[in-house]
Amino acid sequence: MHKLDWYILKRFLVTFFFCMMLFMVVAVAVDSSEKADDFVKTGLGTGQIITQYYFGFVPYIWGLLFPLFVFIAVIFFTSRMATRSEIIAILASGTSYNRMLRPYLVGGLLLGTALWFGDRYLIPKANEIRSTFQTNYIDKNDPTKNIRESSCNNCFYRRLDSITYVGIRDYDTATMGASHFFMEKVKGDKVIYNLRANGIKWDPPTRKWKLTNVLERRVDSMKEITTASPTMTLNIGLKPEELRKDEYLKDRLSTPALIAFINREESRATEGLNALKVERYRRTATPFAVLLLTLIGTVIASRKTRGGSGMHLAIGIITAALFIVSDRFSTVFATKGSFPPLLAAWLPNIAFSIVAFWMYKKTPK
């Protein structure tokens, strides 16, 4: 790293942090204006709203728009360098185009690594703050959300092992109890055991489930044995914290916890895990996109044009919009269809890697 490298790297990082802070102010202003009525209904003070909501909202916005911040920063300061003929002077001094790209790649690698670490550990903690506030104060007052919820929103059906299935109806997270419960064991296509109870409740001291009005049926090839019990203690691999429908779950789990959750639910043959898998792979694909967009931005803005920075920014915004749209499309196809989650997370990077290589080959050096 020479003096020129440090000059470019410094401009890169300073412009990036300026863009990030500027967009943060705009995002907070827009969000606060939209949620002003909700904030008033909470009865919380300004300081409490900042600590209980915006301490989570700001990192969430940073993580969501991080690649866009990098892309705009690269285009903005590189375009100004090209307009002032600094790029021409660098190349005329004998520095090759590939050598000039080194500080850009170093900066993209630093920021990509920072985003990778943040996506794995820091941003999920911020999302936990934001989602808790959203759930406690905003979502519960949203009438449209209540209409969208089904009549059996607190019903759960789980597979515990290769032959055991349980179902719970009208589960209450506050009391950790439900009014209906059943458990079945199935071998092949035959039910060999069936249990039904009119009530189930978690017992914290024993860390087991307490059942009331229990009816058991054991079935074999010759006969059926039925047993009725007023109470029963059941020890199964199911905990109260697992019986909660959380639409923010994938956002608030750290990557190791997310991987463990996906593996556990797959062992239970749980369906609808594609959204969680896309999120898992996206946390690696997005940091790589930072490096990719850094290269594309440099290639776009390093050429001096008559339109100046405005032309570069316009091309950059169009490119970023196409990248975001392709990412959204692949995510929707994976979560709503049969598109592989790994390919959905990496497809925009693969497509734009080809675009980046083509633009790099066409750029005058």
Side-chain angles (χ1 to χ4, degrees):
M1 296 287 286
H2 297 147
K3 188 173 182 179
L4 182 61
D5 299 321
W6 287 111
Y7 170 75
I8 294 176
L9 184 60
K10 180 181 177 182
R11 295 287 301 276
F12 184 2
L13 297 179
V14 169
T15 307
F16 165 75
F17 286 111
F18 173 78
C19 291
M20 190 166 64
M21 297 304 295
L22 179 64
F23 275 89
M24 180 199 71
V25 172
V26 174
V28 170
V30 173
D31 184 74
S32 60
S33 64
E34 290 181 350
K35 293 186 172 66
D37 293 340
D38 295 320
F39 291 154
V40 172
K41 292 177 182 178
T42 63
L44 300 177
T46 303
Q48 292 173 305
I49 292 175
I50 292 174
T51 56
Q52 296 182 28
Y53 178 69
Y54 281 108
F55 276 12
F57 176 78
V58 170
Y60 163 74
I61 287 295
W62 283 349
L64 185 66
L65 302 178
F66 197 97
L68 182 61
F69 294 155
V70 173
F71 192 53
I72 292 176
V74 170
I75 288 181
F76 184 74
F77 89 88
T78 305
S79 178
R80 294 195 60 177
M81 290 177 62
T83 302
R84 294 197 295 257
S85 300
E86 293 181 37
I87 301 294
I88 295 175
I90 292 172
L91 298 178
S93 67
T95 303
S96 66
Y97 191 82
N98 292 339
R99 178 63 181 82
M100 189 194 73
L101 291 178
R102 180 184 297 179
Y104 287 96
L105 297 179
V106 170
L109 186 61
L110 287 175
L111 295 176
T113 303
L115 179 60
W116 177 85
F117 182 80
D119 272 343
R120 289 179 67 89
Y121 303 105
L122 302 181
I123 295 178
K125 291 184 179 295
N127 283 332
E128 186 170 0
I129 298 173
R130 179 184 64 88
S131 61
T132 300
F133 184 92
Q134 192 88 13
T135 302
N136 294 337
Y137 295 106
I138 298 178
D139 290 347
K140 70 177 184 179
N141 296 323
D142 186 0
T144 61
K145 182 178 178 61
N146 296 329
I147 293 174
R148 292 194 302 266
E149 291 181 346
S150 64
S151 59
C152 196
N153 187 52
N154 291 324
C155 298
F156 299 90
Y157 185 73
R158 294 286 188 272
R159 178 180 178 181
L160 301 183
D161 53 43
S162 60
I163 64 171
T164 306
Y165 303 84
V166 298
I168 298 177
R169 183 176 181 181
D170 299 328
Y171 180 76
D172 187 352
T173 56
T175 62
M176 293 185 291
S179 59
H180 297 83
F181 173 80
F182 78 86
M183 181 171 70
E184 292 180 343
K185 293 185 178 182
V186 182
K187 279 189 176 180
D189 57 351
K190 296 181 179 180
V191 177
I192 62 172
Y193 177 83
N194 177 274
L195 180 148
R196 293 184 181 275
N198 290 337
I200 182 172
K201 187 176 178 63
W202 176 255
D203 185 31
T206 61
R207 298 190 63 79
K208 296 179 181 178
W209 294 97
K210 300 289 186 179
L211 277 61
T212 57
N213 298 327
V214 183
L215 181 65
E216 292 182 277
R217 295 173 58 237
R218 292 178 174 86
V219 184
D220 59 26
S221 59
M222 300 298 294
K223 60 182 177 178
E224 174 182 324
I225 301 174
T226 303
T227 306
S229 307
T231 61
M232 181 179 183
T233 300
L234 190 64
N235 185 16
I236 56 177
L238 186 67
K239 301 298 185 290
E241 55 268 20
E242 300 176 33
L243 300 176
R244 181 175 299 173
K245 293 184 178 180
D246 187 358
E247 61 180 295
Y248 303 105
L249 180 65
K250 65 181 179 62
D251 297 324
R252 68 168 78 196
L253 288 179
S254 64
T255 299
L258 180 62
I259 294 174
F261 180 84
I262 292 174
N263 292 337
R264 184 182 67 200
E265 294 303 311
E266 282 185 329
S267 67
R268 295 175 175 175
T270 303
E271 297 180 352
L273 297 177
N274 278 359
L276 298 175
K277 292 180 180 180
V278 171
E279 175 66 17
R280 170 191 173 182
Y281 298 127
R282 185 196 61 79
R283 293 183 182 183
T284 303
T286 304
F288 178 81
V290 170
L291 188 62
L292 180 62
L293 291 176
T294 299
L295 178 60
I296 293 177
T298 305
V299 170
I300 290 175
S302 60
R303 178 186 296 184
K304 188 174 183 179
T305 61
R306 292 183 179 181
S309 299
M311 180 63 69
H312 291 151
L313 286 174
I315 297 174
I317 290 173
I318 293 173
T319 305
L322 292 174
F323 183 85
I324 293 172
V325 168
S326 64
D327 179 65
R328 293 299 93 192
F329 266 104
S330 60
T331 300
V332 170
F333 289 148
T335 55
K336 303 299 182 180
S338 58
F339 203 62
L342 178 61
L343 185 58
W346 280 91
L347 184 60
N349 289 347
I350 295 173
F352 276 80
S353 294
I354 299 173
V355 173
F357 179 76
W358 178 81
M359 295 176 70
Y360 168 78
K361 297 297 289 185
K362 293 292 183 178
T363 299
K365 303 177 179 58

